[in-house]
Amino acid sequence: MTTEVTGTPDETVLEAQFADTIGRKDRIEPRDWMPEKYRKTLVRQVAQHAHSEIIGMQPEGNWISRAPSLRRKAILLAKVQDEAGHGLYLYSAAETLGATRDELTEKLIAGKQKYSSIFNYPTLSYTDVGTIGWLVDGAAICNQVPLCRTSFGPYGRAMIRICKEESFHQRQGYELLMTMMRGTDEQRASVQESVNRFWWPSLMMFGPPDDDSPNTEQSMEWGIKTHTNDELRQKFVDMSVPQAEALGVTFPDDGLKWNEERGHYDFSTPDWDEFWAVVKGNGPCNDQRVNHRKRAWDEGAWVREAALAFAENSAAGATDDAAPTDDTAPTNPATTAEEAAK
Ligand code: FAQ
């Protein structure tokens, strides 16, 4: 929707137009009027999502130098690089809401903004690269495909591209595990052990149960979320069980069984105390992840400053170049700031 506002905007009219756009399941665009709470909720969610992609590079990045073959190394490098790209699309979407990347990163390293709980668990073996691809990217896809239709245009459009890449990530993980399952007993045991560790944290990625989710109701009304946390968690369980069977592994849950009446798998309750402990900063790797991000941010300051100075100099040079020339004036070879500096 594009609402051109002239004169003094009447808040009630703008609110009605906003509600109408949401009701039609149309997109809200950055220059449209939006309630302040809608903007804040989006900044919170998009920033958390962007931070997750960037922090999410660490657990797998940890294994790049120890990949078992050149092929696996090339795949992992490409995947981790994709995650950096996802973070950048998402920070750009947040920028259209008036939140700069610098400001959001500062909040992340000060512990004022969150990132996904899943990245606070360690990667103990190369097998974990496969399990993260299968389960963590699988959960991310389940959660993110509906976000392609989210009500805020830049976020939805970023998600379309991200989901295509996540799909490759999930397949490479499943293929890695499938290769190991065709290997030795030791390799099969390693896959099962890794799946046992990642199953419950993957289910927690969908957020707290609906009854305990303060944001879901309003975010659903605004079309930011189109499914609840529990709906997506169920979808993920239903999708993963046949994949586990094909792979030849089990999930560490005695309560996992098909419920004919519901047409879904029943499963046990995740340990929500563990989830909240991790979200509040007390997971196994919270300090390590944030400290590493802080170090990279501090050590990269000179690169950001240099890039900015280069952009400013180039812009100044372009302006000088574009200035009309006075044919009668003596020729001065140093016409741009850059040339003058040589
Ligand atoms: N971890 O009221 P709700 C990826 C917080 S990307 C930490 O239900 P909401 C790609 C929540 O922020 C993974 N915190 O919240 C990849 C809220 O706190 P606040 C990231 C969590 O927003 C793969 C409070 O709890 N994906 O994996 C978590 O309506 C492999 C109450 O919760 C996204 O961010 C959690 N798991 O629903 C990269 C997707 N869950 O801020 C590398 C977009 C909840 O009020 C390798 N986000 N919290 O203090 C969403 O869909 C939603 O934000 C939810 C949470 C569903 C995550």
Side-chain angles (χ1 to χ4, degrees):
M1 172 184 101
T2 36
T3 311
E4 202 163 312
V5 185
T6 48
T8 316
D10 179 340
E11 191 97 339
T12 4
V13 173
L14 295 172
E15 260 171 38
Q17 284 173 338
F18 172 83
D20 183 52
T21 307
I22 298 288
R24 279 186 281 113
K25 300 197 186 312
D26 206 346
R27 302 273 208 199
I28 302 293
E29 296 298 341
R31 287 184 188 167
D32 293 339
W33 182 90
M34 61 186 83
E36 184 53 19
K37 283 189 178 164
Y38 174 85
R39 195 188 69 82
K40 277 197 173 143
T41 298
L42 269 169
V43 170
R44 177 186 64 78
Q45 179 167 326
V46 177
Q48 176 173 324
H49 197 162
H51 297 328
S52 303
E53 298 282 357
I54 300 297
I55 295 269
M57 294 167 73
Q58 292 183 40
E60 290 170 285
N62 176 35
W63 286 92
I64 290 174
S65 60
R66 290 171 287 168
S69 68
L70 185 59
R71 177 172 173 266
R72 292 289 169 203
K73 186 170 183 149
I75 293 171
L76 185 56
L77 272 170
K79 179 181 193 281
V80 173
Q81 192 170 300
D82 281 353
E83 281 147 12
H86 298 175
L88 295 183
Y89 309 154
L90 289 163
Y91 284 126
S92 299
E95 275 182 350
T96 71
L97 292 158
T100 69
R101 189 171 146 199
D102 284 12
E103 169 194 333
L104 298 179
T105 306
E106 298 290 350
K107 284 188 177 156
L108 167 72
I109 56 190
K112 290 181 187 157
Q113 278 183 344
K114 300 184 169 75
Y115 57 91
S116 183
S117 48
I118 189 75
F119 302 117
N120 291 309
Y121 291 87
T123 43
L124 304 179
S125 63
Y126 204 87
T127 316
D128 288 353
V129 170
T131 311
I132 289 177
W134 174 36
L135 294 179
V136 176
D137 285 280
I141 292 170
C142 249
N143 168 269
Q144 289 172 187
V145 167
L147 286 174
C148 295
R149 293 187 306 276
T150 191
S151 59
F152 185 60
Y155 189 26
R157 288 189 287 275
M159 292 319 305
I160 294 171
R161 188 155 169 193
I162 291 176
C163 284
K164 285 186 182 158
E165 292 174 354
E166 299 288 22
S167 172
F168 152 70
H169 294 176
Q170 200 223 8
R171 281 161 198 221
Q172 68 80 35
Y174 196 73
E175 190 266 345
L176 190 159
L177 298 183
M178 194 55 109
T179 306
M180 290 187 73
M181 293 303 285
R182 285 195 292 262
T184 63
D185 283 348
E186 204 184 339
Q187 284 175 308
R188 277 186 285 277
S190 175
V191 174
Q192 184 62 61
E193 186 275 332
S194 173
V195 168
N196 289 349
R197 273 185 292 113
F198 274 95
W199 175 243
W200 291 110
S202 300
L203 293 192
M204 293 174 192
M205 283 176 71
F206 295 92
D210 293 349
D211 291 347
D212 216 6
S213 162
N215 300 298
T216 294
E217 194 182 338
Q218 181 62 79
S219 289
M220 299 270 287
E221 262 175 44
W222 279 330
I224 294 174
K225 286 167 85 166
T226 56
H227 295 74
T228 72
N229 300 354
D230 286 335
E231 283 167 4
L232 293 174
R233 193 170 5 255
Q234 180 72 65
K235 198 171 172 214
F236 176 67
V237 172
D238 291 347
M239 181 182 101
S240 302
V241 172
Q243 292 174 357
E245 281 165 6
L247 197 57
V249 296
T250 55
F251 292 128
D253 179 5
D254 292 339
L256 187 64
K257 56 177 180 302
W258 179 251
N259 183 325
E260 195 63 53
E261 211 176 300
R262 291 199 313 118
H264 292 290
Y265 282 92
D266 287 338
F267 56 99
S268 307
T269 308
D271 182 347
W272 292 117
D273 290 341
E274 174 183 318
F275 169 76
W276 289 116
V278 173
V279 169
K280 286 180 185 146
N282 301 317
C285 299
N286 292 62
D287 289 345
Q288 184 185 331
R289 302 293 185 234
V290 176
N291 289 341
H292 184 82
R293 185 72 197 97
K294 180 173 168 18
R295 199 164 50 246
W297 183 247
D298 292 345
E299 287 174 3
W302 71 271
V303 180
R304 295 192 296 279
E305 280 160 25
L308 207 62
F310 180 76
E312 278 164 7
N313 280 348
S314 304
T319 315
D320 287 354
D321 282 346
T325 49
D326 177 358
D327 286 339
T328 58
T331 315
N332 178 1
T335 50
T336 67
E338 244 177 306
E339 281 168 348
K342 276 182 197 166

